Amino acid sequence: MNPDHRPDRTVSVPWSADTPVRDRRFGEFLCGLWTSACDALAVPADEAERTTAELRDTLPAWAGERIGDRPRQPSFVAADGFPAEMSLNWSGGEPELRMLLDCLSDVDGAGSAVTAPSQRFHQLTEIFATAPLWYSLAWRPPAPMAYKAYFGLYAWPAERRFAALDRAMERLGMARAWDDARRRVDRDGRGDRREVEFLGLDLTGTAQARAKIYYRNHGADVHELNRMASVAADHDPDRALTAYRTLVGERADAGTEALTCLAFRSGLDRAAESTTYLRMPSLVSGDLAAVERAADVLVRQGVDPRPLRAVAAALAPTALAESRGLLELVSYRAAGRPGDLTTYFRFPVYAQPAPLPGAPVDLVDRSPIVSQSDVQRVADHNATRQEEYEASRLIRLLADEATPDTTKKAVLTYLQPWSNAFQRMISARVTYESDLALRTIALEHQKEEIGHDEILARTRAEDQRVVWDPVIEAGASWFVDQFATLPGVQRAILAHLALEAGSLALSKAGVVAFPNDPYFSLHDEADVEHLEMGYQILRERTDWTVDEIVTVLDRAWQVITVVSDRIAECAIRDTAT
């Protein structure tokens, strides 16, 4: 690559107002982006063609599909659900060009040529068989292409994430270093402000191959991020703090949901290196400002920023001064290499969601978000359906003082499989939610609901029966399927305005039937807040209509009522004698 970036080189444009993305195939679009980045970096034509062909050969099956108005199967890679990201690392003399790809439903086929030779990858496939799989290819001339794989843990409860990581790091021979890292990370007692989200693997057989564990930080400032990064052995806190401050500007915080990656290598008893990722749209007003802050870090470390500016201009769908959401993340690693900064480009192909919580004021659209009358229409309709449900057979059975205690206890027996299935439902919501704002709410909801099925199990400890009923299971499966296929807002409404409203009605009756029972008391308090979260989403979003929401609610209430009637029927049947 030419570090001087020859200005007379013609740079192709992969997308713009004159080159629309709709109806183009994903593979064509991604290869065009790769070619544009190569052009901007003045990569020799034969090398650009060779690496573009290698990218094309490793794309998942979805690369042959056409890009539509919305993602058919949303990805967590980007806020709009697009399943790919491009990044460039600026250390090492020559920039390293990377492409990250979500396998989506093509877990077995996607990247098979990439992952097949890796023994380290196959050591862990059994542990992460149900986890989302991403992979990436990275090229720094004159080296050959390098590959990495990532297991997504974000859909699992926290306990399961750590249990899986403990097993994985044991198999990789890195358990002592991981145990040390966990102790150092948790030393500040702020574990509720961070969560592990990914395990990454370098797919090489060399001694330098890394396993990487990614944390998402909530509400962190640059000092907390620097402390997290200092968990690693090779970290310069002074140099890192200077870079962080350059990227965040005058802000006291570090923006929204900064990330920390701890890298582990074989033979070491401590994390080797750390990388800190800052989410630029939560720190600046647009892509031009984001690029210039990254360029400032490079200049301070003696790295020419012109190739960065050239790549950003080549990838943007419009002038950088008018662009927003392209440069999503900037990461920095203070481990001895000058200019060890990476820029991560997202491509806002689909309609963008609401601004992230905590976004700067100038990113927020001040126009009215949605009609209050529309929200009220939904609220009135849902209140009517909830009142109808409160007259259902199950609610009346629990609220009736004449109902025998044996029948009420039998209700708990058949409520258990529904409560167990509720955990699957909220996990499915998180798994399939790609909108960052909605996913944050989904994760919060999941966190607050984890373990409620176990509370119910303890409540009915004297009854060890495990029951299976086709009606209850069919109802649960319907909800899981809806969480996998509905658009984001409808998915959230299903959780908060149907399931939580139904749970609230059930809990009120349960408190009457079982005074001081922890399961019903807990839901009676929490479900009111969860219900309000649904209406708040409707007030803040524009990507919904009353008819769509009412249709989803009507179907959900029908399923909830059918399941509830079945629970009552089974309880009465079992205690009829």
Side-chain angles (χ1 to χ4, degrees), residues 185-194 219-221 224 227:
V185 167
D186 295 338
R187 193 169 290 169
D188 62 1
R190 297 181 178 181
D192 60 333
R193 295 178 55 170
R194 63 184 69 95
D221 60 19
E224 184 172 345
R227 191 200 70 77

Side-chain angles (χ1 to χ4, degrees), residues 72-147:
R72 276 194 235 170
Q73 188 179 354
S75 169
F76 183 52
V77 170
D80 68 342
F82 192 72
E85 166 193 89
M86 177 178 284
S87 59
L88 287 101
N89 176 269
W90 300 97
S91 66
E94 294 284 359
E96 181 179 80
L97 181 59
R98 309 167 178 171
M99 182 75 78
L100 175 70
L101 302 158
D102 190 337
C103 294
L104 298 179
S105 59
D106 188 28
V107 175
D108 294 328
S112 57
V114 172
T115 58
S118 174
Q119 181 181 359
R120 304 172 80 238
F121 177 83
H122 293 290
Q123 281 182 291
L124 307 185
T125 50
E126 172 263 328
I127 299 175
F128 300 105
T130 63
L133 176 64
W134 300 359
Y135 67 96
S136 71
L137 60 166
W139 177 56
R140 189 192 304 275
M145 200 78 78
Y147 300 98

Side-chain angles (χ1 to χ4, degrees), residues 50-297:
R50 181 184 62 79
T51 55
T52 301
E54 190 164 347
L55 167 64
R56 185 180 295 108
D57 290 342
T58 59
L59 290 174
W62 53 256
E65 299 176 3
R66 296 191 181 276
I67 300 173
D69 292 327
R70 63 173 60 184
R72 276 194 235 170
Q73 188 179 354
S75 169
F76 183 52
V77 170
D80 68 342
F82 192 72
E85 166 193 89
M86 177 178 284
S87 59
L88 287 101
N89 176 269
W90 300 97
S91 66
E94 294 284 359
E96 181 179 80
L97 181 59
R98 309 167 178 171
M99 182 75 78
L100 175 70
L101 302 158
D102 190 337
C103 294
L104 298 179
S105 59
D106 188 28
V107 175
D108 294 328
S112 57
V114 172
T115 58
S118 174
Q119 181 181 359
R120 304 172 80 238
F121 177 83
H122 293 290
Q123 281 182 291
L124 307 185
T125 50
E126 172 263 328
I127 299 175
F128 300 105
T130 63
L133 176 64
W134 300 359
Y135 67 96
S136 71
L137 60 166
W139 177 56
R140 189 192 304 275
M145 200 78 78
Y147 300 98
K148 306 170 189 177
Y150 302 85
F151 298 103
L153 312 180
Y154 46 82
W156 294 352
E159 295 83 357
R160 184 180 178 189
R161 301 183 199 188
F162 281 109
L165 286 173
D166 290 346
R167 292 175 61 198
M169 296 301 275
E170 179 71 33
R171 291 189 183 183
L172 294 172
M174 301 175 179
R176 291 181 62 182
W178 169 231
D179 289 343
D180 175 82
R182 285 192 65 179
R183 286 195 299 271
R184 292 175 186 271
V185 167
D186 295 338
R187 193 169 290 169
D188 62 1
R190 297 181 178 181
D192 60 333
R193 295 178 55 170
R194 63 184 69 95
E195 54 184 318
V196 290
E197 288 204 334
F198 286 94
L199 171 66
L201 290 177
D202 290 345
L203 300 180
T204 65
T206 68
Q208 294 301 305
R210 301 164 298 170
K212 300 177 292 181
I213 295 176
Y214 292 77
Y215 283 85
R216 182 182 294 265
N217 301 283
H218 301 281
D221 60 19
V222 292
H223 297 287
E224 184 172 345
L225 293 178
N226 207 10
R227 191 200 70 77
M228 283 284 289
S230 297
V231 167
D234 193 357
H235 177 72
D236 184 332
D238 294 332
R239 194 150 53 92
L241 190 58
T242 298
Y244 301 161
R245 284 174 170 162
T246 301
L247 293 169
V248 303
E250 300 299 321
R251 293 173 64 107
D253 66 328
T256 301
E257 298 184 324
L259 303 173
T260 300
C261 172
L262 300 178
F264 301 83
R265 288 191 172 92
S266 297
L268 301 180
D269 291 338
R270 184 174 173 182
E273 299 173 344
S274 59
T275 305
T276 301
Y277 300 70
L278 297 174
R279 203 170 297 280
M280 300 310 291
S282 69
L283 296 169
V284 296
S285 60
D287 287 320
L288 181 60
V291 170
E292 288 308 311
R293 288 194 186 180
D296 194 6
V297 175

Side-chain angles (χ1 to χ4, degrees), residues 9-28:
R9 178 82 176 251
T10 300
V11 178
S12 61
V13 180
W15 63 331
S16 67
D18 299 324
T19 312
V21 176
R22 295 295 181 275
D23 294 328
R24 294 175 64 185
R25 298 192 187 277
F26 283 94
E28 173 195 356

Side-chain angles (χ1 to χ4, degrees), residues 374-386 388 478-479 482 486 489-502 531 534-535 538 544-561:
D374 286 344
V375 177
Q376 191 60 51
R377 286 172 60 194
V378 171
D380 291 344
H381 184 85
N382 202 50
T384 299
R385 297 311 304 264
Q386 185 174 346
E388 293 171 353
W478 182 86
F479 274 98
Q482 297 306 298
L486 286 176
V489 171
Q490 294 181 39
R491 187 184 288 125
I493 293 314
L494 192 68
H496 295 285
L497 299 192
L499 284 173
E500 290 295 349
L531 181 63
Y535 291 117
L538 291 182
W544 61 275
T545 67
V546 173
D547 289 343
E548 290 172 346
I549 298 301
V550 164
T551 298
V552 169
L553 288 173
D554 283 345
R555 292 173 179 173
W557 280 113
Q558 289 180 63
V559 175
I560 290 171
T561 302

Side-chain angles (χ1 to χ4, degrees), residues 8 24 30 45 81 106 214 226 347 350 367 393 427 456 547:
D8 57 341
R24 294 175 64 185
L30 294 175
D106 188 28
Y214 292 77
N226 207 10
F347 308 105
Y350 304 113
S367 60
R393 190 177 186 184
S427 294
L456 176 59
D547 289 343

